[in-house]
Amino acid sequence: MTEPKLGEFCWNELATPDVQASKDFYGQLLGWKFTDHEMGDTSYTMIQKDDGEFGGMWRIPTDQQNQIPPHWMSYILVEDIQSTLKKAKELGAEVKMPITQIGEMGSFIIVVDPTGAHIAFWESTKE
C-alpha cells in the first residue's frame, strides 16, 4: 500500500456492536485478516489485506449502543490537527470529539461538517 498524502483518506474504522460477526462477514467477503490488540478493558482490531493494515474496528459498549449506531468512519491525514480544528470550526463544523491523543501514534478529531456529515482528521506523530 502506498502511504497517504496530506489531505487524503488515511484510515477507515468500523464501530460495531459485534466485532466477531463483523470479522466473519468482511473476512469471508473480502479476505480481510484481523489482529486484536488488548487495550485495558477493551480491544482494538486491526484490519489487514495483502501488504498492510488499512483500518480497524472497535466494539460499541453495550450501554452506548442506543446512542452510537454501527458505522464506518474515515480519517483524513493532516499536518496540524490544532489548525485543522480551528479552521473547520471557522467554516461551520461542529466538534464531536475534541483533539484526542492516541499513545505515541498521533491525535485525531471528529467533526460534523456544515451538511451534517461526520468526518475524522488524523495527525500522525510517526515519521
Side-chain angles (χ1 to χ4, degrees):
M1 293 186 133
T2 61
E3 291 294 316
K5 297 177 185 85
L6 292 173
E8 293 182 351
F9 289 99
C10 63
W11 195 251
N12 294 289
E13 187 173 74
L14 175 62
T16 177
D18 189 336
V19 171
Q20 188 58 54
S22 296
K23 286 180 184 179
D24 292 344
F25 176 77
Y26 290 106
Q28 292 175 38
L29 180 66
L30 301 169
W32 292 356
K33 304 293 182 204
F34 307 96
T35 306
D36 295 326
H37 298 275
E38 297 306 315
M39 299 168 44
D41 26 341
T42 189
S43 68
Y44 189 81
T45 300
M46 302 297 274
I47 305 169
Q48 301 121 2
K49 176 77 173 157
D50 299 329
D51 57 352
E53 296 172 335
F54 64 91
M57 69 174 73
W58 57 278
R59 184 181 172 281
I60 301 168
T62 303
D63 64 342
Q64 295 179 351
Q65 290 178 9
N66 289 329
Q67 293 83 32
I68 303 172
H71 66 278
W72 280 97
M73 176 66 72
S74 294
Y75 290 72
I76 297 173
L77 182 64
V78 296
E79 186 171 27
D80 182 339
I81 200 78
Q82 289 184 339
S83 66
T84 300
L85 178 58
K86 181 177 185 272
K87 189 170 184 178
K89 287 168 46 177
E90 290 170 359
L91 294 170
E94 174 191 346
V95 178
K96 284 296 188 180
M97 176 70 75
I99 297 173
T100 303
Q101 185 71 34
I102 303 298
E104 300 293 318
M105 296 171 55
S107 55
F108 74 96
I109 56 173
I110 299 174
V111 301
V112 178
D113 75 16
T115 72
H118 289 68
I119 188 69
F121 295 93
W122 174 261
E123 176 188 345
S124 180
T125 52
K126 292 180 166 182
E127 291 298 316

